[in-house]
């Protein structure tokens, strides 16, 4: 895959940018410490801001690798960091990337994640040679699937007992979009 790394992106209402150590408090306050938000994720809610700092220390180092794609989602108007959107898995043989995302509860149902995901889909198809972009969600979290659908991704099916998150083993719904469908 032709990798270009995490570069700043912009939408009408959002800035998508690299995370940095100064983001620890907002990350902790806005989503990482909330068990309601992390229940469908593979990592538990943070107990302390030190966990956010440790993650951000790791992440800022990882940006040196052009295979790292991890954006903080910032609302332009308020400068609030409200979540992240990332490439969580790659397959070089078929030039595919899997996207994962999280957003703070205060910003649910405002269209922010749809806006961010649309921009990331555009980014990968415009700036890399990715052929397939996919995302999946726990079947008990249908709102995540609605975001994928609104971004033009096609529902492919449910993989039984494929995923694992803070609720345990779960069925996952898989969505994708191909380069030919995007163009």
């Amino acid at each position: 895959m032709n990798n270009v790394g995490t570069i700043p992106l912009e939408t009408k209402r959002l800035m998508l940018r690299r995370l940095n150590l100064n983001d620890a408090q907002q990350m902790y306050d806005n989503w990482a410490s909330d068990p309601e938000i992390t229940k469908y994720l593979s990592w538990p809610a943070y107990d302390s801001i030190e966990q956010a700092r440790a993650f951000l220390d790791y992440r800022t180092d990882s940006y040196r690798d052009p295979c790292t794609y991890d954006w903080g989602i910032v609302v332009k108007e308020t400068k609030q960091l409200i979540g992240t959107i990332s490439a969580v898995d790659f397959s070089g043989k078929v030039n595919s990337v899997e996207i994962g995302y999280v957003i703070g509860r205060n910003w649910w149902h405002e269209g922010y994640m749809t806006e961010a995901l649309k921009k990331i889909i555009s980014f990968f198809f415009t700036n890399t040679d990715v052929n397939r972009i996919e995302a999946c969600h726990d079947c008990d979290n249908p709102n995540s699937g609605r975001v994928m659908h609104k971004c033009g991704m096609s529902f492919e099916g449910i993989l039984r007992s494929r995923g694992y998150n803070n609720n345990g083993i779960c069925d996952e719904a898989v969505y994708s979009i191909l380069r030919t469908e995007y163009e």
Side-chain angles (χ1 to χ4, degrees), residues 2 12 18 24 27 47 50 52 62 64 84 90 100 105 122 126 128-130 133-135 143 147 151 155 159 161:
N2 174 34
K12 182 178 178 182
R18 290 181 174 196
M27 179 182 183
D47 295 326
E50 284 73 29
S62 72
R64 293 180 207 166
T84 62
F90 296 94
R105 195 187 320 201
S122 172
T126 303
T128 74
D129 57 353
V130 161
I133 298 171
E134 64 183 59
N143 287 331
V147 168
C151 292
F155 174 70
L159 301 177
S161 295

Side-chain angles (χ1 to χ4, degrees), residues 41-67:
L41 302 179
S42 59
W43 50 271
Y46 290 175
D47 295 326
S48 69
I49 193 167
E50 284 73 29
Q51 289 174 288
R53 286 188 186 114
F55 170 78
L56 291 169
D57 188 47
Y58 159 77
R59 178 52 70 218
T60 55
D61 281 346
S62 72
Y63 284 130
R64 293 180 207 166
D65 182 349
C67 294

